[in-house]
Amino acid sequence: MSSNGELVAGMEGQLLVIRNTQTAEDVQAFQIELPVRELKWSPDSELVMCINVKSMTIDVRSVSDPEWKCTISEGYNHICDAVWGPDSRCIVSISKADLRGTVWSLVSMDAICEIPCPRHGAKGISFRSDGSYAAVASRKSGRDLVTIYDTVSWKGTASFDPLTKDLAGLSWSPDGHCLAVWDSRMEYFLGLFTANGILLNRYTAYRNALGVVAVEWSALGEMIAVASCDGFVRILATATWRVLCEFEHTEKVVNTVTFKEAFIYVDEGDPRIGYNASDGVNVIALRDEQNKNKRTSTVVREITKLEWNSKGTYMACVDSTYPNVVQIWDIRGRQQAAVIVQRSPIADLKWDVSGDRLGLCTANSYLYSWRPEGASCISLPLDDFSCRRLDFSWNGDCIMLQDRNMYTLGYDITASG
């Protein structure tokens, strides 16, 4: 789905089809010669990037100008990943084995910058919210390095040591005031830096044990969540850089409203999928629920999914030890708001733009949702469709559901009246 939520792009064989999300009518169709691994919309929703599988090249097509096209190739340095620049007129490609990154201008049709030895592909690049700077993770002479680039000239403005032993990720705060950098799970370290590399704060919850597995900023940037291998999610307030609260993922859920997916029998009809809800005064052993699942728990614990809502009031988490369980935390109340126990592992989950509705799927023919008022599920009227990914439109009244080889659009009837 495009950034503005008005268009959706999909491959139908070798045909790239652009459709209107409201009417489902075809807007454009382009013939793509080689198989496509991934589609990426530009930030302004005008261009579509097609990353090709076999040739490791990039095709770019324009929605407003069907005659215009661009192909990017690095010859023997096969492209394995790419990301749009914030101005939608340049693309940063990453070559195989992270040998180098290249910034390509779609205006001059030329390479305008080379980035030596980037790390983690497109995930190792973070753009500031106003698009003025790009932070790029790299490694030189066996040491981690973060370089800040001006996204107009693509010249480096600062380079600094992030103090990590094995940098795992980096992310600008939503307000653009600082850059968060964290180490791999081998070390618990979170560093906060300014755009010129000055250390604002560093946080380490413990030492000599497996550390950070996920870091996420709240939508407004007033909090940052740090999930670690000890089963805790710690919330830091950016005003003081101190722990505001911490939530532990334990084997038992005590006195929390719990929704268990189950077959519901109504009169004498066929059973349907629904939820059995607890009254919030109970003790549930998640290990017993996990034993019903075909997949076994992992040896290394990690938070595989960590999602803030748009208001920063709720956070949804999935622990690898219990991949079929979603734990929802109330940040203002500093307590567990609800637990959702599915029959199958969680494939994807997203909050809508209002922040009051959580959508989730488990690679079957149902769509599940949670609100503070309760949980529900919807049977999808499609044959051979297993929902594996979902995305809400910018206004929340449209949802895109994806299987491996097809997608469908759903609409909120109540939102449209």
Side-chain angles (χ1 to χ4, degrees):
M1 191 179 295
S2 61
S3 303
N4 60 13
E6 296 178 359
L7 301 170
V8 59
M11 293 300 302
E12 298 180 8
Q14 291 185 318
L15 201 64
L16 170 63
V17 181
I18 312 295
R19 289 190 172 91
N20 186 296
T21 56
Q22 296 300 316
T23 64
E25 294 179 351
D26 291 1
V27 177
Q28 293 289 356
F30 304 99
Q31 185 74 27
I32 307 296
E33 297 179 359
L34 297 170
V36 174
R37 184 193 72 189
E38 190 174 3
L39 299 174
K40 293 186 179 183
W41 279 97
S42 61
D44 65 0
S45 302
E46 285 292 326
L47 303 171
V48 182
M49 178 202 310
C50 308
I51 302 178
N52 296 326
V53 177
K54 292 184 178 180
S55 65
M56 292 300 179
T57 60
I58 297 172
D59 283 336
V60 186
R61 300 301 173 97
S62 170
V63 177
S64 58
D65 184 2
E67 300 300 321
W68 183 92
K69 67 177 182 179
C70 176
T71 301
I72 298 174
S73 174
E74 291 201 22
Y76 291 107
N77 291 323
H78 287 179
I79 296 173
C80 66
D81 206 353
V83 61
W84 281 101
D87 64 351
S88 299
R89 294 301 174 264
C90 65
I91 290 174
V92 184
S93 66
I94 308 296
S95 65
K96 193 174 181 180
D98 290 344
L99 293 177
R100 73 177 183 187
T102 307
V103 182
W104 303 89
S105 171
L106 300 184
V107 178
S108 64
M109 296 292 186
D110 197 8
I112 57 176
C113 176
E114 285 195 4
I115 301 171
C117 303
R119 298 202 68 188
H120 308 305
K123 294 181 180 179
I125 303 173
S126 178
F127 293 100
R128 195 171 171 176
S129 56
D130 62 2
S132 59
Y133 293 110
V136 181
S138 61
R139 195 167 180 87
K140 184 177 181 180
S141 302
R143 300 188 65 178
D144 291 330
L145 184 70
V146 173
T147 304
I148 308 297
Y149 290 89
D150 181 323
T151 56
V152 176
S153 64
W154 281 100
K155 293 181 179 180
T157 61
S159 292
F160 59 91
D161 180 355
L163 307 179
T164 53
K165 294 181 179 178
D166 182 17
L167 187 150
L170 73 173
S171 176
W172 287 99
S173 62
D175 58 12
H177 287 168
C178 66
L179 177 72
V181 180
W182 56 96
D183 221 324
S184 69
R185 68 183 60 181
M186 299 305 293
E187 188 83 15
Y188 197 119
F189 173 81
L190 173 70
L192 291 308
F193 297 86
T194 64
N196 54 1
I198 297 175
L199 179 66
L200 295 174
N201 193 64
R202 58 190 300 168
Y203 176 71
T204 302
Y206 55 81
R207 300 182 184 278
N208 302 321
L210 293 178
V212 176
V213 293
V215 175
E216 289 290 337
W217 290 96
S218 63
L220 300 178
E222 77 277 22
M223 293 174 286
I224 185 170
V226 186
S228 49
C229 290
D230 63 347
F232 278 85
V233 178
R234 295 172 174 87
I235 311 297
L236 277 66
T238 56
T240 61
W241 296 119
R242 294 185 178 181
V243 176
L244 181 65
C245 54
E246 57 183 33
F247 304 119
E248 183 180 10
H249 285 213
T250 60
E251 292 184 2
K252 293 184 178 180
V253 177
V254 181
N255 297 338
T256 301
V257 177
T258 305
F259 301 93
K260 291 185 182 180
E261 183 185 8
F263 287 103
I264 306 297
Y265 292 85
V266 180
D267 298 329
E268 296 182 358
D270 294 332
R272 60 180 178 82
I273 293 292
Y275 283 113
N276 286 328
S278 72
D279 57 4
V281 182
N282 55 4
V283 177
I284 297 176
L286 293 181
R287 186 172 298 279
D288 294 339
E289 299 299 330
Q290 177 62 17
N291 288 341
K292 300 175 184 178
N293 196 297
K294 293 182 180 180
R295 297 189 184 184
T296 58
S297 59
T298 56
V299 176
V300 178
R301 170 180 254 176
E302 63 179 76
I303 305 298
T304 56
K305 301 183 188 301
L306 181 65
E307 291 280 340
W308 287 91
N309 71 341
S310 60
K311 300 175 181 177
T313 53
Y314 289 105
M315 184 173 58
C317 304
V318 178
D319 190 326
S320 63
T321 309
Y322 310 107
N324 61 319
V325 177
V326 180
Q327 303 197 38
I328 302 171
W329 301 93
D330 179 357
I331 306 301
R332 288 180 297 190
R334 303 186 185 185
Q335 62 184 353
Q336 203 167 41
V339 173
I340 303 174
V341 181
Q342 299 291 138
R343 297 170 63 245
S344 301
I346 309 299
D348 194 15
L349 57 84
K350 295 281 173 54
W351 291 96
D352 72 355
V353 67
S354 71
D356 296 326
R357 176 176 54 179
L358 177 70
L360 57 136
C361 57
T362 60
N364 61 14
S365 58
Y366 288 87
L367 173 65
Y368 307 89
S369 67
W370 176 89
R371 298 174 184 263
E373 298 78 20
S376 61
C377 62
I378 301 172
S379 176
L380 302 175
L382 299 169
D383 295 331
D384 300 323
F385 185 86
S386 297
C387 184
R388 302 174 188 276
R389 182 181 172 185
L390 58 92
D391 284 294
F392 287 99
S393 63
W394 67 272
N395 57 4
D397 63 359
C398 175
I399 185 173
M400 182 172 68
L401 309 176
Q402 298 182 59
D403 196 353
R404 285 196 177 97
N405 300 313
M406 67 178 75
Y407 70 90
T408 185
L409 300 175
Y411 302 90
D412 189 341
I413 301 176
T414 58
S416 59

PDB file of all heavy atoms in Angstrom, residues 54-81:
ATOM      1  N   LYS A  54      16.419 -12.498  -9.893  1.00  0.00           N
ATOM      2  CA  LYS A  54      17.504 -13.171 -10.604  1.00  0.00           C
ATOM      3  C   LYS A  54      18.638 -12.220 -10.981  1.00  0.00           C
ATOM      4  O   LYS A  54      19.818 -12.521 -10.770  1.00  0.00           O
ATOM      5  CB  LYS A  54      16.954 -13.865 -11.843  1.00  0.00           C
ATOM      6  CG  LYS A  54      16.040 -15.034 -11.518  1.00  0.00           C
ATOM      7  CD  LYS A  54      15.596 -15.748 -12.786  1.00  0.00           C
ATOM      8  CE  LYS A  54      14.716 -16.951 -12.454  1.00  0.00           C
ATOM      9  NZ  LYS A  54      14.266 -17.652 -13.688  1.00  0.00           N
ATOM     10  N   SER A  55      18.300 -11.078 -11.549  1.00  0.00           N
ATOM     11  CA  SER A  55      19.341 -10.175 -12.027  1.00  0.00           C
ATOM     12  C   SER A  55      19.878  -9.274 -10.927  1.00  0.00           C
ATOM     13  O   SER A  55      20.893  -8.598 -11.110  1.00  0.00           O
ATOM     14  CB  SER A  55      18.782  -9.293 -13.148  1.00  0.00           C
ATOM     15  OG  SER A  55      17.766  -8.444 -12.644  1.00  0.00           O
ATOM     16  N   MET A  56      19.193  -9.256  -9.762  1.00  0.00           N
ATOM     17  CA  MET A  56      19.579  -8.380  -8.651  1.00  0.00           C
ATOM     18  C   MET A  56      19.683  -6.937  -9.115  1.00  0.00           C
ATOM     19  O   MET A  56      20.651  -6.227  -8.829  1.00  0.00           O
ATOM     20  CB  MET A  56      20.911  -8.845  -8.030  1.00  0.00           C
ATOM     21  CG  MET A  56      20.801 -10.171  -7.325  1.00  0.00           C
ATOM     22  SD  MET A  56      19.627 -10.158  -5.969  1.00  0.00           S
ATOM     23  CE  MET A  56      19.716 -11.850  -5.400  1.00  0.00           C
ATOM     24  N   THR A  57      18.693  -6.513  -9.870  1.00  0.00           N
ATOM     25  CA  THR A  57      18.615  -5.127 -10.322  1.00  0.00           C
ATOM     26  C   THR A  57      17.334  -4.500  -9.779  1.00  0.00           C
ATOM     27  O   THR A  57      16.503  -5.172  -9.169  1.00  0.00           O
ATOM     28  CB  THR A  57      18.614  -5.038 -11.858  1.00  0.00           C
ATOM     29  OG1 THR A  57      17.477  -5.760 -12.355  1.00  0.00           O
ATOM     30  CG2 THR A  57      19.886  -5.609 -12.435  1.00  0.00           C
ATOM     31  N   ILE A  58      17.180  -3.199 -10.020  1.00  0.00           N
ATOM     32  CA  ILE A  58      16.014  -2.466  -9.554  1.00  0.00           C
ATOM     33  C   ILE A  58      15.331  -1.800 -10.741  1.00  0.00           C
ATOM     34  O   ILE A  58      15.978  -1.120 -11.540  1.00  0.00           O
ATOM     35  CB  ILE A  58      16.416  -1.383  -8.526  1.00  0.00           C
ATOM     36  CG1 ILE A  58      17.022  -2.032  -7.277  1.00  0.00           C
ATOM     37  CG2 ILE A  58      15.217  -0.527  -8.141  1.00  0.00           C
ATOM     38  CD1 ILE A  58      17.613  -1.028  -6.314  1.00  0.00           C
ATOM     39  N   ASP A  59      14.032  -2.019 -10.873  1.00  0.00           N
ATOM     40  CA  ASP A  59      13.217  -1.301 -11.853  1.00  0.00           C
ATOM     41  C   ASP A  59      12.352  -0.307 -11.111  1.00  0.00           C
ATOM     42  O   ASP A  59      11.760  -0.642 -10.071  1.00  0.00           O
ATOM     43  CB  ASP A  59      12.322  -2.260 -12.643  1.00  0.00           C
ATOM     44  CG  ASP A  59      13.091  -3.019 -13.702  1.00  0.00           C
ATOM     45  OD1 ASP A  59      14.134  -2.514 -14.133  1.00  0.00           O
ATOM     46  OD2 ASP A  59      12.657  -4.121 -14.086  1.00  0.00           O
ATOM     47  N   VAL A  60      12.254   0.925 -11.634  1.00  0.00           N
ATOM     48  CA  VAL A  60      11.437   1.961 -11.018  1.00  0.00           C
ATOM     49  C   VAL A  60      10.414   2.433 -12.036  1.00  0.00           C
ATOM     50  O   VAL A  60      10.761   2.732 -13.183  1.00  0.00           O
ATOM     51  CB  VAL A  60      12.291   3.155 -10.538  1.00  0.00           C
ATOM     52  CG1 VAL A  60      11.426   4.156  -9.779  1.00  0.00           C
ATOM     53  CG2 VAL A  60      13.439   2.669  -9.665  1.00  0.00           C
ATOM     54  N   ARG A  61       9.138   2.503 -11.621  1.00  0.00           N
ATOM     55  CA  ARG A  61       8.069   2.945 -12.505  1.00  0.00           C
ATOM     56  C   ARG A  61       7.296   4.096 -11.857  1.00  0.00           C
ATOM     57  O   ARG A  61       7.199   4.176 -10.619  1.00  0.00           O
ATOM     58  CB  ARG A  61       7.117   1.799 -12.836  1.00  0.00           C
ATOM     59  CG  ARG A  61       7.799   0.630 -13.534  1.00  0.00           C
ATOM     60  CD  ARG A  61       8.462   1.056 -14.836  1.00  0.00           C
ATOM     61  NE  ARG A  61       9.247   0.006 -15.449  1.00  0.00           N
ATOM     62  CZ  ARG A  61       8.806  -0.783 -16.418  1.00  0.00           C
ATOM     63  NH1 ARG A  61       7.567  -0.620 -16.885  1.00  0.00           N
ATOM     64  NH2 ARG A  61       9.581  -1.718 -16.930  1.00  0.00           N
ATOM     65  N   SER A  62       6.731   4.944 -12.715  1.00  0.00           N
ATOM     66  CA  SER A  62       6.004   6.126 -12.261  1.00  0.00           C
ATOM     67  C   SER A  62       4.505   5.948 -12.465  1.00  0.00           C
ATOM     68  O   SER A  62       4.067   5.499 -13.534  1.00  0.00           O
ATOM     69  CB  SER A  62       6.482   7.371 -13.027  1.00  0.00           C
ATOM     70  OG  SER A  62       5.646   8.474 -12.778  1.00  0.00           O
ATOM     71  N   VAL A  63       3.730   6.293 -11.454  1.00  0.00           N
ATOM     72  CA  VAL A  63       2.270   6.191 -11.549  1.00  0.00           C
ATOM     73  C   VAL A  63       1.723   7.263 -12.478  1.00  0.00           C
ATOM     74  O   VAL A  63       0.843   7.007 -13.300  1.00  0.00           O
ATOM     75  CB  VAL A  63       1.627   6.322 -10.152  1.00  0.00           C
ATOM     76  CG1 VAL A  63       0.112   6.299 -10.258  1.00  0.00           C
ATOM     77  CG2 VAL A  63       2.113   5.205  -9.235  1.00  0.00           C
ATOM     78  N   SER A  64       2.241   8.497 -12.390  1.00  0.00           N
ATOM     79  CA  SER A  64       1.715   9.613 -13.166  1.00  0.00           C
ATOM     80  C   SER A  64       2.257   9.673 -14.594  1.00  0.00           C
ATOM     81  O   SER A  64       1.643  10.263 -15.475  1.00  0.00           O
ATOM     82  CB  SER A  64       2.018  10.939 -12.456  1.00  0.00           C
ATOM     83  OG  SER A  64       3.420  11.097 -12.270  1.00  0.00           O
ATOM     84  N   ASP A  65       3.425   9.045 -14.843  1.00  0.00           N
ATOM     85  CA  ASP A  65       4.037   9.067 -16.170  1.00  0.00           C
ATOM     86  C   ASP A  65       4.385   7.638 -16.587  1.00  0.00           C
ATOM     87  O   ASP A  65       5.491   7.153 -16.334  1.00  0.00           O
ATOM     88  CB  ASP A  65       5.294   9.937 -16.161  1.00  0.00           C
ATOM     89  CG  ASP A  65       5.922  10.079 -17.546  1.00  0.00           C
ATOM     90  OD1 ASP A  65       5.348   9.534 -18.516  1.00  0.00           O
ATOM     91  OD2 ASP A  65       6.982  10.727 -17.656  1.00  0.00           O
ATOM     92  N   PRO A  66       3.461   6.931 -17.232  1.00  0.00           N
ATOM     93  CA  PRO A  66       3.687   5.510 -17.570  1.00  0.00           C
ATOM     94  C   PRO A  66       4.816   5.280 -18.559  1.00  0.00           C
ATOM     95  O   PRO A  66       5.313   4.161 -18.686  1.00  0.00           O
ATOM     96  CB  PRO A  66       2.333   5.074 -18.156  1.00  0.00           C
ATOM     97  CG  PRO A  66       1.668   6.333 -18.594  1.00  0.00           C
ATOM     98  CD  PRO A  66       2.135   7.394 -17.647  1.00  0.00           C
ATOM     99  N   GLU A  67       5.247   6.327 -19.281  1.00  0.00           N
ATOM    100  CA  GLU A  67       6.329   6.172 -20.258  1.00  0.00           C
ATOM    101  C   GLU A  67       7.710   6.218 -19.596  1.00  0.00           C
ATOM    102  O   GLU A  67       8.697   5.767 -20.182  1.00  0.00           O
ATOM    103  CB  GLU A  67       6.240   7.281 -21.321  1.00  0.00           C
ATOM    104  CG  GLU A  67       4.936   7.278 -22.111  1.00  0.00           C
ATOM    105  CD  GLU A  67       4.729   5.966 -22.857  1.00  0.00           C
ATOM    106  OE1 GLU A  67       5.730   5.427 -23.391  1.00  0.00           O
ATOM    107  OE2 GLU A  67       3.594   5.479 -22.899  1.00  0.00           O
ATOM    108  N   TRP A  68       7.764   6.774 -18.394  1.00  0.00           N
ATOM    109  CA  TRP A  68       9.057   6.918 -17.706  1.00  0.00           C
ATOM    110  C   TRP A  68       9.409   5.628 -16.970  1.00  0.00           C
ATOM    111  O   TRP A  68       8.558   4.989 -16.348  1.00  0.00           O
ATOM    112  CB  TRP A  68       8.981   8.076 -16.717  1.00  0.00           C
ATOM    113  CG  TRP A  68      10.286   8.363 -15.999  1.00  0.00           C
ATOM    114  CD1 TRP A  68      11.248   9.233 -16.366  1.00  0.00           C
ATOM    115  CD2 TRP A  68      10.740   7.759 -14.773  1.00  0.00           C
ATOM    116  NE1 TRP A  68      12.285   9.228 -15.468  1.00  0.00           N
ATOM    117  CE2 TRP A  68      12.008   8.322 -14.475  1.00  0.00           C
ATOM    118  CE3 TRP A  68      10.218   6.794 -13.915  1.00  0.00           C
ATOM    119  CZ2 TRP A  68      12.738   7.963 -13.343  1.00  0.00           C
ATOM    120  CZ3 TRP A  68      10.950   6.417 -12.797  1.00  0.00           C
ATOM    121  CH2 TRP A  68      12.195   7.006 -12.517  1.00  0.00           C
ATOM    122  N   LYS A  69      10.671   5.255 -17.042  1.00  0.00           N
ATOM    123  CA  LYS A  69      11.146   4.112 -16.261  1.00  0.00           C
ATOM    124  C   LYS A  69      12.644   4.246 -16.034  1.00  0.00           C
ATOM    125  O   LYS A  69      13.344   4.954 -16.759  1.00  0.00           O
ATOM    126  CB  LYS A  69      10.825   2.783 -16.932  1.00  0.00           C
ATOM    127  CG  LYS A  69      11.559   2.531 -18.223  1.00  0.00           C
ATOM    128  CD  LYS A  69      11.217   1.139 -18.759  1.00  0.00           C
ATOM    129  CE  LYS A  69      11.971   0.844 -20.039  1.00  0.00           C
ATOM    130  NZ  LYS A  69      11.671  -0.523 -20.552  1.00  0.00           N
ATOM    131  N   CYS A  70      13.118   3.552 -15.021  1.00  0.00           N
ATOM    132  CA  CYS A  70      14.542   3.589 -14.677  1.00  0.00           C
ATOM    133  C   CYS A  70      14.974   2.203 -14.220  1.00  0.00           C
ATOM    134  O   CYS A  70      14.240   1.526 -13.482  1.00  0.00           O
ATOM    135  CB  CYS A  70      14.778   4.621 -13.579  1.00  0.00           C
ATOM    136  SG  CYS A  70      16.487   4.682 -12.973  1.00  0.00           S
ATOM    137  N   THR A  71      16.138   1.768 -14.656  1.00  0.00           N
ATOM    138  CA  THR A  71      16.713   0.491 -14.232  1.00  0.00           C
ATOM    139  C   THR A  71      18.064   0.748 -13.594  1.00  0.00           C
ATOM    140  O   THR A  71      18.900   1.457 -14.162  1.00  0.00           O
ATOM    141  CB  THR A  71      16.867  -0.478 -15.421  1.00  0.00           C
ATOM    142  OG1 THR A  71      15.587  -0.714 -16.003  1.00  0.00           O
ATOM    143  CG2 THR A  71      17.451  -1.806 -14.948  1.00  0.00           C
ATOM    144  N   ILE A  72      18.277   0.181 -12.419  1.00  0.00           N
ATOM    145  CA  ILE A  72      19.528   0.361 -11.677  1.00  0.00           C
ATOM    146  C   ILE A  72      20.226  -0.988 -11.561  1.00  0.00           C
ATOM    147  O   ILE A  72      19.618  -1.984 -11.159  1.00  0.00           O
ATOM    148  CB  ILE A  72      19.263   0.939 -10.276  1.00  0.00           C
ATOM    149  CG1 ILE A  72      18.626   2.322 -10.385  1.00  0.00           C
ATOM    150  CG2 ILE A  72      20.551   1.008  -9.461  1.00  0.00           C
ATOM    151  CD1 ILE A  72      18.192   2.898  -9.049  1.00  0.00           C
ATOM    152  N   SER A  73      21.505  -1.013 -11.930  1.00  0.00           N
ATOM    153  CA  SER A  73      22.301  -2.235 -11.837  1.00  0.00           C
ATOM    154  C   SER A  73      23.720  -1.885 -11.424  1.00  0.00           C
ATOM    155  O   SER A  73      24.232  -0.831 -11.804  1.00  0.00           O
ATOM    156  CB  SER A  73      22.308  -2.974 -13.179  1.00  0.00           C
ATOM    157  OG  SER A  73      23.189  -4.078 -13.133  1.00  0.00           O
ATOM    158  N   GLU A  74      24.341  -2.777 -10.642  1.00  0.00           N
ATOM    159  CA  GLU A  74      25.728  -2.570 -10.242  1.00  0.00           C
ATOM    160  C   GLU A  74      26.647  -3.621 -10.848  1.00  0.00           C
ATOM    161  O   GLU A  74      27.735  -3.882 -10.326  1.00  0.00           O
ATOM    162  CB  GLU A  74      25.843  -2.570  -8.718  1.00  0.00           C
ATOM    163  CG  GLU A  74      25.196  -1.370  -8.062  1.00  0.00           C
ATOM    164  CD  GLU A  74      25.745  -1.114  -6.666  1.00  0.00           C
ATOM    165  OE1 GLU A  74      26.868  -1.576  -6.382  1.00  0.00           O
ATOM    166  OE2 GLU A  74      25.056  -0.456  -5.878  1.00  0.00           O
ATOM    167  N   GLY A  75      26.207  -4.239 -11.930  1.00  0.00           N
ATOM    168  CA  GLY A  75      27.059  -5.220 -12.598  1.00  0.00           C
ATOM    169  C   GLY A  75      27.280  -6.447 -11.738  1.00  0.00           C
ATOM    170  O   GLY A  75      26.333  -7.072 -11.257  1.00  0.00           O
ATOM    171  N   TYR A  76      28.554  -6.767 -11.514  1.00  0.00           N
ATOM    172  CA  TYR A  76      28.866  -7.967 -10.737  1.00  0.00           C
ATOM    173  C   TYR A  76      28.547  -7.794  -9.247  1.00  0.00           C
ATOM    174  O   TYR A  76      28.401  -8.781  -8.527  1.00  0.00           O
ATOM    175  CB  TYR A  76      30.342  -8.338 -10.916  1.00  0.00           C
ATOM    176  CG  TYR A  76      30.665  -8.834 -12.305  1.00  0.00           C
ATOM    177  CD1 TYR A  76      31.385  -8.047 -13.194  1.00  0.00           C
ATOM    178  CD2 TYR A  76      30.229 -10.087 -12.735  1.00  0.00           C
ATOM    179  CE1 TYR A  76      31.680  -8.494 -14.478  1.00  0.00           C
ATOM    180  CE2 TYR A  76      30.513 -10.545 -14.010  1.00  0.00           C
ATOM    181  CZ  TYR A  76      31.241  -9.750 -14.874  1.00  0.00           C
ATOM    182  OH  TYR A  76      31.515 -10.196 -16.143  1.00  0.00           O
ATOM    183  N   ASN A  77      28.481  -6.563  -8.787  1.00  0.00           N
ATOM    184  CA  ASN A  77      28.089  -6.321  -7.398  1.00  0.00           C
ATOM    185  C   ASN A  77      26.561  -6.349  -7.300  1.00  0.00           C
ATOM    186  O   ASN A  77      25.896  -5.326  -7.323  1.00  0.00           O
ATOM    187  CB  ASN A  77      28.615  -4.961  -6.920  1.00  0.00           C
ATOM    188  CG  ASN A  77      30.111  -4.953  -6.789  1.00  0.00           C
ATOM    189  OD1 ASN A  77      30.716  -5.939  -6.393  1.00  0.00           O
ATOM    190  ND2 ASN A  77      30.722  -3.830  -7.156  1.00  0.00           N
ATOM    191  N   HIS A  78      26.015  -7.538  -7.240  1.00  0.00           N
ATOM    192  CA  HIS A  78      24.574  -7.713  -7.274  1.00  0.00           C
ATOM    193  C   HIS A  78      23.893  -6.957  -6.137  1.00  0.00           C
ATOM    194  O   HIS A  78      24.324  -7.000  -4.986  1.00  0.00           O
ATOM    195  CB  HIS A  78      24.216  -9.194  -7.188  1.00  0.00           C
ATOM    196  CG  HIS A  78      24.510  -9.932  -8.454  1.00  0.00           C
ATOM    197  ND1 HIS A  78      24.289 -11.285  -8.586  1.00  0.00           N
ATOM    198  CD2 HIS A  78      25.007  -9.510  -9.640  1.00  0.00           C
ATOM    199  CE1 HIS A  78      24.638 -11.673  -9.799  1.00  0.00           C
ATOM    200  NE2 HIS A  78      25.081 -10.610 -10.457  1.00  0.00           N
ATOM    201  N   ILE A  79      22.804  -6.297  -6.459  1.00  0.00           N
ATOM    202  CA  ILE A  79      22.026  -5.570  -5.454  1.00  0.00           C
ATOM    203  C   ILE A  79      21.171  -6.552  -4.671  1.00  0.00           C
ATOM    204  O   ILE A  79      20.439  -7.367  -5.260  1.00  0.00           O
ATOM    205  CB  ILE A  79      21.132  -4.513  -6.140  1.00  0.00           C
ATOM    206  CG1 ILE A  79      21.997  -3.458  -6.827  1.00  0.00           C
ATOM    207  CG2 ILE A  79      20.190  -3.865  -5.135  1.00  0.00           C
ATOM    208  CD1 ILE A  79      21.213  -2.469  -7.664  1.00  0.00           C
ATOM    209  N   CYS A  80      21.275  -6.496  -3.360  1.00  0.00           N
ATOM    210  CA  CYS A  80      20.497  -7.408  -2.529  1.00  0.00           C
ATOM    211  C   CYS A  80      19.408  -6.688  -1.736  1.00  0.00           C
ATOM    212  O   CYS A  80      18.495  -7.326  -1.215  1.00  0.00           O
ATOM    213  CB  CYS A  80      21.411  -8.182  -1.580  1.00  0.00           C
ATOM    214  SG  CYS A  80      22.225  -7.164  -0.335  1.00  0.00           S
ATOM    215  N   ASP A  81      19.490  -5.370  -1.625  1.00  0.00           N
ATOM    216  CA  ASP A  81      18.497  -4.609  -0.873  1.00  0.00           C
ATOM    217  C   ASP A  81      18.550  -3.147  -1.319  1.00  0.00           C
ATOM    218  O   ASP A  81      19.532  -2.700  -1.920  1.00  0.00           O
ATOM    219  CB  ASP A  81      18.763  -4.714   0.636  1.00  0.00           C
ATOM    220  CG  ASP A  81      17.504  -4.507   1.464  1.00  0.00           C
ATOM    221  OD1 ASP A  81      16.458  -4.144   0.884  1.00  0.00           O
ATOM    222  OD2 ASP A  81      17.563  -4.701   2.691  1.00  0.00           O
TER     223      ASP A  81
END
